[in-house]
Amino acid sequence: MREARFEALVRLVAGPVQRYLVRRADRDAVDDVLADTMLVLWRRLDDVPGLGDSPLDPDEVLPWCYGVARGCLANARRAEGRRLRLVERLARTTYALPPPAADHAALHEALGTLGELDREIVMLWAWEGLPPRGIAEVTGLTPNAVSIRLHRAKKSLAARLGRKNDVGAGQEQGKEGSEL
């Protein structure tokens, strides 16, 4: 019975959690962090919210699983940091992180100006499609705090990217025949 519950959970969350990790980790680390995440999910299977319900509700299960993946990714980053410090000490050289993708350089630069938590909140909202309640579960904040931080971060990003909030995407202002 435990194996069947775990298999159902993996079928539901493996793809979204892998996409979550691909956006946040080096490609070489994604599979390892995903495996660590699945191991934690197996060990804490009884703690997964909504797992006893049939059918599984992604809105209940995914935020908790993203939180587990976030913790596993943090552990992997700490381990990688320790490994890099050792290599630096041994080789007496420094290593620079690769630059963000060129086609999204402005976005990555703007995201880089946000604090780590605000950046994570924006990415959970934009790329994972989580509502503030789900983001709150992942980050440990209250839904209200998430909403406030998300609003401020979006406003900051819009200003940095030179976009105006009062113009909808794809809408052109001042064209003839566009008035209703």
Side-chain angles (χ1 to χ4, degrees):
M1 182 66 173
R2 183 174 170 85
E3 290 83 349
R5 287 184 359 198
F6 181 70
E7 288 173 6
L9 177 65
V10 169
R11 277 192 299 277
L12 179 68
V13 304
V17 169
Q18 184 179 31
R19 288 188 296 274
Y20 170 88
L21 293 170
V22 163
R23 293 183 191 108
R24 288 163 178 79
D26 294 329
R27 295 198 192 289
D28 297 335
V30 169
D31 289 340
D32 291 337
V33 176
L34 181 61
D36 289 345
T37 302
M38 293 302 141
L39 180 60
V40 171
L41 292 179
W42 171 255
R43 288 180 182 157
R44 298 194 53 202
L45 193 60
D46 295 332
D47 298 334
V48 179
L51 189 56
D53 301 339
S54 187
L56 291 176
D57 182 6
D59 292 339
E60 279 190 51
V61 175
L62 273 174
W64 193 86
C65 294
Y66 285 143
V68 170
R70 184 173 185 244
C72 290
L73 183 57
N75 289 341
R77 285 182 176 152
R78 282 191 296 274
E80 179 66 11
R82 288 189 301 271
R83 188 189 69 75
L84 285 177
R85 285 190 300 277
L86 176 62
V87 168
E88 285 176 5
R89 201 169 54 227
L90 294 174
R92 302 282 188 238
T93 60
T94 60
Y95 297 96
L97 295 175
D103 55 335
H104 299 294
L107 175 60
H108 286 283
E109 184 179 324
L111 281 170
T113 64
L114 298 176
E116 185 178 335
L117 182 58
D118 288 341
R119 186 171 45 250
E120 178 71 4
I121 288 170
V122 169
M123 291 168 70
L124 284 167
W125 171 77
W127 288 330
E128 309 311 331
L130 290 180
R133 180 181 52 85
I135 296 169
E137 189 171 337
V138 173
T139 60
L141 298 172
T142 65
N144 189 46
V146 167
S147 294
I148 291 168
R149 291 181 86 107
L150 180 61
H151 174 76
R152 289 178 182 163
K154 286 176 9 183
K155 192 173 180 179
S156 173
L157 286 174
R160 291 199 180 276
L161 293 172
R163 296 191 178 135
K164 306 226 182 299
N165 290 333
D166 58 346
V167 176
Q171 296 179 357
E172 293 184 31
Q173 297 290 326
K175 281 215 160 195
E176 282 187 81
S178 64
E179 296 178 22
L180 297 176

